[in-house]
Amino acid sequence: MNLQISQRAAQTQGLVMTGHMQQAIALLQLSNTDLQRYIEQEAEENPFIEVARSDRALPSLPHVGGRGTDADDATGRIADHPLSLYAHVAAQFDLMFHSPQDRLIADRFLEALDENGWLGEPLEEIAFACGLDMTEAEHMLHAVQAVEPAGLFARTLAECLALQAEDQGLMTPLFRAVLNNLPRLAAADLTGLARVCACSMDDLRATLKQLRSLNPKPGADFHIANLSEREPDLIVSRGATGWKVELNRSTLPAVLVDEESAAVATQDKRAREYVGERLGVARWLRRAVEHRNQTALAVGAEIARRQAAFLEHGPAKIAPMTLADVAQAIGVHESTVSRVTTGILMVTPQGTMGLKRFFSTALAGDADGEGGASAAAVRYRIQKMVAGEDPANPLSDDAIAQMISADGPVLARRTVAKYRDMLHIPSSFQRKRQGKLNGM
């Protein structure tokens, strides 16, 4: 057998996450309020950074660059900033998912994460949006549920507690049996619970003590700005040629670099290295903040353009829209749009809303292919119909489905039931019973 060693050269394409890209991503995740707090912290440590309100027009989109070590130093301090739940999970996803396709799917799950850490959308809806079958969606759900703290991305209370019990090594047959019978526990029926779990009362009490040590809302401990008290980041108003979006400059911080002081300080040879390092950080931060502002403005403007009907008529007219739609329109990656829309609020004629609320999947139209609507718009219609119904004769899911299908997207009864559950609306039977109780 003749063995030979040879060398071959080949070219491959791949996505490399550079230091500059990571720095830009870190700032994209901050709201105006968080950005202000971060810049003020930087200014305390850097004599060449001054913080001011942004009262001038922003320059054209700059390249985010700077000396590598200086930018890395600033990025490290961004990491020390109190993280939101979204930023905390996104940082773990950066390490968990190396395939760009898997990362996009993981980001779609991240969009559905509510402030308590639960999955706020049905898995079926996420699977449809990502083009997955349910087996693939379940597999990805298990993957994202591996993040810390345990319990995130749960769909039910039992699943949230089970994830934590598995993580802490508490899961036993008895613990599993208790989780399968949480309604009895909620009703304080300990005798019945011990009976169905086939255990003694002492064993049950020991298990319940472990259960109480778990956190039913694992996402609630993270830094979350109070939306009702926060000023919006973007402002939508009607202009001469249509809707226009502006940055809220009353809350928008600007980074000023004290070049004159730096020039004086560099005359001292002993301080030259320190001045160069601090000046590099200041210049990088200024460019990075400008890049973040331009990106937020571009995303907000594209959303306003696509949601003109909502701005004019309200939530019933919210149009189907995905991250990919906006990303393609403004020429950025989907993950960039996902990060920008997480912490940013926009004040509209219909109220102040987080940008994430504008994204919704499309439902099928009528037989002629027209009348398509977004899932968000349909959920709003269901909510309004229930609010206006006769309490003595509430609308059934079938009736609601028929009424919506008559003049809009074709809707199945099970879809109405699913959306009703998402809106925490009881069934028609429960609503009728509650109506009778209220009447008494």
Side-chain angles (χ1 to χ4, degrees):
M1 181 168 54
N2 184 19
L3 297 177
Q4 294 182 342
I5 299 176
S6 62
Q7 291 182 330
R8 293 182 180 179
Q11 289 184 332
T12 60
Q13 288 184 331
L15 180 63
V16 178
M17 184 69 74
T18 67
H20 292 163
M21 293 172 64
Q22 293 173 349
Q23 296 147 22
I25 287 172
L27 286 180
L28 287 175
Q29 295 169 179
L30 302 182
S31 66
N32 281 6
T33 304
D34 291 335
L35 184 63
Q36 172 80 19
R37 189 180 300 114
Y38 167 70
I39 295 175
E40 289 174 348
Q41 178 183 338
E42 282 294 299
E44 291 177 359
E45 302 179 9
N46 194 322
F48 306 117
I49 293 178
E50 296 180 3
V51 187
R53 295 294 183 191
S54 182
D55 55 357
R56 55 183 175 82
L58 293 172
S60 59
L61 189 65
H63 171 72
V64 181
R67 293 168 55 184
T69 55
D70 300 332
D72 291 343
D73 183 40
T75 305
R77 284 190 291 277
I78 295 176
D80 294 334
H81 188 82
L83 286 180
S84 66
L85 174 61
Y86 177 90
H88 172 79
V89 175
Q92 294 184 64
F93 280 0
D94 287 337
L95 302 176
M96 293 169 58
F97 300 102
H98 302 292
S99 162
Q101 181 64 24
D102 287 346
R103 179 55 197 269
L104 285 177
I105 296 173
D107 278 342
R108 181 61 183 83
F109 276 83
L110 185 51
E111 293 170 39
L113 195 65
D114 69 20
E115 63 182 19
N116 292 320
W118 287 31
L119 195 66
E121 295 181 30
L123 187 60
E124 296 84 357
E125 191 167 307
I126 299 174
F128 176 79
C130 297
L132 305 176
D133 59 36
M134 287 307 297
T135 300
E136 294 169 328
E138 288 279 358
H139 178 76
M140 179 56 76
L141 175 63
H142 292 319
V144 300
Q145 285 177 341
V147 300
E148 295 292 339
L152 297 179
F153 293 101
R155 292 163 290 181
T156 64
L157 175 59
E159 186 175 37
C160 179
L161 298 175
L163 289 169
Q164 296 177 58
E166 293 282 3
D167 182 66
Q168 298 181 27
L170 300 177
M171 188 61 75
T172 62
L174 176 54
F175 204 105
R176 175 67 68 183
V178 171
L179 291 180
N180 290 338
N181 292 276
L182 286 179
R184 286 184 180 271
L185 179 60
D189 182 13
L190 298 187
T191 301
L193 184 59
R195 183 175 62 252
V196 298
C197 293
C199 69
S200 68
M201 190 61 70
D202 288 340
D203 289 341
L204 178 60
R205 289 194 179 97
T207 299
L208 294 182
K209 183 178 181 181
Q210 293 176 324
L211 185 66
R212 285 192 292 270
S213 69
L214 305 180
N215 186 358
K217 299 179 180 180
D221 293 334
F222 287 83
H223 176 70
I224 300 176
N226 189 330
L227 300 188
S228 63
E229 297 177 357
R230 237 188 70 197
E231 288 289 329
D233 307 293
L234 298 174
I235 299 172
V236 178
S237 59
R238 193 189 299 275
T241 58
W243 297 102
K244 64 177 182 178
V245 179
E246 298 174 294
L247 293 160
N248 183 2
R249 300 189 183 279
S250 67
T251 64
L252 184 65
V255 177
L256 303 180
V257 180
D258 191 349
E259 300 281 358
E260 294 183 2
S261 296
V264 173
T266 52
Q267 296 177 8
D268 185 345
K269 294 181 179 180
R270 295 170 297 180
R272 193 165 296 169
E273 181 178 353
Y274 168 80
V275 172
E277 178 189 351
R278 297 293 90 192
L279 187 59
V281 170
R283 289 170 175 168
W284 170 82
L285 183 59
R286 178 179 59 191
R287 290 191 295 267
V289 169
E290 289 172 349
H291 178 273
R292 174 262 184 198
N293 293 341
Q294 287 281 30
T295 305
L297 188 59
V299 170
E302 181 61 22
I303 289 175
R305 186 185 72 81
R306 291 175 176 270
Q307 299 293 352
F310 159 80
L311 297 174
E312 188 74 34
H313 303 291
K317 294 297 182 179
I318 242 181
M321 185 177 68
T322 66
L323 294 175
D325 295 333
V326 176
Q328 184 175 8
I330 66 175
V332 300
H333 197 268
E334 285 183 50
S335 61
T336 298
V337 178
S338 181
R339 285 177 167 87
V340 167
T341 54
T342 295
I344 288 185
L345 298 179
M346 183 160 69
V347 61
T348 77
Q350 306 299 333
T352 299
M353 298 173 58
L355 294 188
K356 271 288 190 290
R357 290 184 58 190
F358 288 100
F359 293 89
S360 181
T361 54
L363 296 177
D366 58 22
D368 298 324
E370 298 178 353
S374 71
V378 171
R379 287 195 290 269
Y380 176 78
R381 289 186 63 185
I382 292 173
Q383 197 170 30
K384 294 289 287 185
M385 292 169 72
V386 170
E389 70 185 359
D390 178 4
N393 188 27
L395 297 168
S396 67
D397 292 343
D398 275 323
I400 294 174
Q402 292 173 11
M403 293 169 68
I404 293 179
S405 299
D407 62 350
V410 178
L411 213 60
R413 182 204 62 79
R414 64 179 179 274
T415 305
V416 173
K418 178 179 70 175
Y419 287 170
R420 178 173 51 73
D421 287 341
M422 292 174 62
L423 295 167
H424 305 293
I425 297 174
S427 67
S428 57
F429 172 77
Q430 293 171 315
R431 300 199 305 275
K432 185 174 184 178
R433 184 173 61 181
Q434 186 62 47
K436 289 182 179 180
L437 291 174
N438 292 340
M440 294 173 62

